C-alpha cells in the first residue's frame, strides 16, 4: 500500500520528488517518481541502508526502483547500491573503473568506510557487492521516466571528486540533486580525490542547470537556494585560490 512522503519521514520537494536524510552521516537520498518508474538518487552507506531505502521507495511508488543515479563514488552514497537489483545504474564517467572487482577503488572505499566508523563486516560486504555502472554519463544524458517526466543527468565535475554527477528534475520548482558538491550541514569536504581547482566551476554549472528559483539538494544537510550555492562557490574559490 502506498504511503505519503511524510508518513515515511521523507521530505516532499515537488510533485513526485522527495528526499530523506539518512542517520549517521546525514547523507541525502532522493527519489523521483515517473509513470511506472522510480529513480533513486544515491544508495546509502551500507547494504542494510540500501535495502531500507528500496523498501521505502516501494511503499511510496508502489513499485521497485527502476533507475539508480550515483552522484559520486564515496562509500556513504554508494555502498547500498547492490540492494537495487535490476535497476539501471548511472554514474559520472570513470565511476565504473573504481568499482571494478579486485580493484584498488573498492578497497579504498572499504578502508574509508571503516575509518569513518562503519562496521568492518558491513563495509566488506558492501564493497564486495558493489554493482557495475554500465551507464556512465560524460556530458549530459536525458532520462525519460514516462508520463512526460524527463530528468537530466549531468557530469558537472570534477570537483568534490573526479566523478560528480548532478540530477536535475525540471518542474515548478526545479530540483537539483547536487551530491557533495554542495554541503549545508558543514564545510564542504575536500579529500584526496577532490579537484579543488575545478570545484567552483562545477558549482557554476549547477547554477546554470537549476537557475535562480530551483531547490538545490546538498549531499548533506538542508535544502538550499541558488544564493547559498553561489556563496559556497565563492567561499571555495577563496579557500582554494581559484580565480574566475
Amino acid at each position: 500500500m502506498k504511503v505519503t512522503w511524510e508518513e515515511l519521514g521523507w521530505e516532499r520537494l515537488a510533485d513526485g520528488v522527495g528526499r530523506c536524510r539518512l542517520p549517521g552521516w546525514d547523507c541525502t537520498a532522493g527519489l523521483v517518481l515517473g509513470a511506472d518508474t522510480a529513480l533513486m538518487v544515491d544508495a546509502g552507506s551500507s547494504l542494510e541502508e540500501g535495502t531500507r531505502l528500496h523498501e521505502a521507495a516501494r511503499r511510496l511508488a508502489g513499485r521497485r526502483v527502476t533507475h539508480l543515479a550515483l552522484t559520486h563514488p564515496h562509500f556513504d552514497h554508494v555502498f547500498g547500491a547492490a540492494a537495487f537489483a535490476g535497476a539501471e545504474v548511472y554514474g559520472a564517467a570513470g565511476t565504473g573503473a573504481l568499482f571494478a572487482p579486485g580493484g584498488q577503488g573498492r578497497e579504498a572505499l572499504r578502508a574509508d568506510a571503516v575509518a569513518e566508523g562503519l562496521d568492518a563486516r558491513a563495509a566488506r560486504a558492501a564493497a564486495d557487492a558493489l554493482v557495475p555502472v554500465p551507464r556512465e554519463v560524460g556530458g549530459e544524458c536525458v532520462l525519460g521516466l514516462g508520463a512526460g517526466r524527463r530528468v537530466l543527468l549531468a557530469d558537472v565535475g570534477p570537483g568534490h571528486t573526479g566523478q560528480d554527477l548532478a540530477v536535475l528534475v525540471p518542474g515548478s520548482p526545479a530540483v537539483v540533486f547536487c551530491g557533495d558538491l554542495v554541503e549545508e550541514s558543514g564545510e564542504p569536504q575536500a579529500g584526496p580525490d577532490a579537484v579543488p581547482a575545478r570545484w567552483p566551476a562545477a558549482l557554476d554549472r549547477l547554477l546554470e542547470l537549476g537557475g535562480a528559483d530551483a531547490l538545490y539538494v546538498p549531499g548533506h544537510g538542508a535544502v538550499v537556494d541558488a544564493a547559498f550555492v553561489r556563496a559556497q562557490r565563492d567561499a571555495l574559490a577563496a579557500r582554494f585560490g581559484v580565480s574566475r
Side-chain angles (χ1 to χ4, degrees):
M1 183 177 69
K2 291 184 182 180
V3 298
T4 67
W5 302 96
E6 293 76 15
E7 284 174 323
L8 284 186
W10 285 54
E11 181 181 359
R12 181 184 180 276
L13 302 175
D15 183 30
V17 185
R19 69 91 177 241
C20 70
R21 292 171 68 169
L22 298 167
W25 293 277
D26 189 26
C27 287
T28 282
L31 184 63
V32 184
L33 304 181
D36 55 0
T37 57
L39 165 67
M40 181 68 71
V41 182
D42 283 341
S45 62
S46 67
L47 293 172
E48 180 182 2
E49 198 160 67
T51 299
R52 290 199 301 269
L53 284 172
H54 203 171
E55 178 56 30
R58 286 179 187 272
R59 296 184 65 190
L60 286 163
R63 67 189 76 97
R64 70 176 182 85
V65 170
T66 54
H67 302 78
L68 173 64
L70 302 174
T71 61
H72 63 287
H74 281 171
F75 84 91
D76 47 341
H77 297 262
V78 305
F79 262 10
F84 298 88
E88 295 183 6
V89 183
Y90 294 79
T95 304
L98 296 174
F99 292 177
Q104 291 300 307
R106 287 195 187 200
E107 180 56 27
L109 285 171
R110 183 206 62 77
D112 186 46
V114 173
E116 292 293 331
L118 185 64
D119 175 79
R121 286 176 295 182
R124 172 56 67 193
D128 289 346
L130 273 175
V131 297
V133 182
R135 301 181 182 273
E136 294 194 347
V137 179
E140 297 180 356
C141 169
V142 176
L143 185 61
L145 296 180
R149 167 144 277 169
R150 295 164 71 84
V151 173
L152 178 70
L153 308 180
D155 183 354
V156 297
H160 175 66
T161 70
Q163 299 83 24
D164 290 311
L165 186 75
V167 179
L168 167 65
V169 188
S172 297
V175 178
V176 183
F177 290 96
C178 307
D180 286 4
L181 286 168
V182 179
E183 295 194 40
E184 185 277 335
S185 56
E187 186 175 83
Q189 299 300 301
D193 57 345
V195 186
R198 301 282 295 278
W199 200 331
L203 295 187
D204 287 336
R205 182 67 183 127
L206 284 181
L207 290 165
E208 290 173 3
L209 288 172
D213 299 323
L215 299 177
Y216 292 87
V217 186
H220 303 263
V223 175
V224 300
D225 59 12
F228 181 96
V229 177
R230 193 173 300 109
Q232 193 156 93
R233 181 253 180 244
D234 292 343
L236 285 167
R239 174 178 165 189
F240 297 128
V242 179
S243 60
R244 284 190 179 275

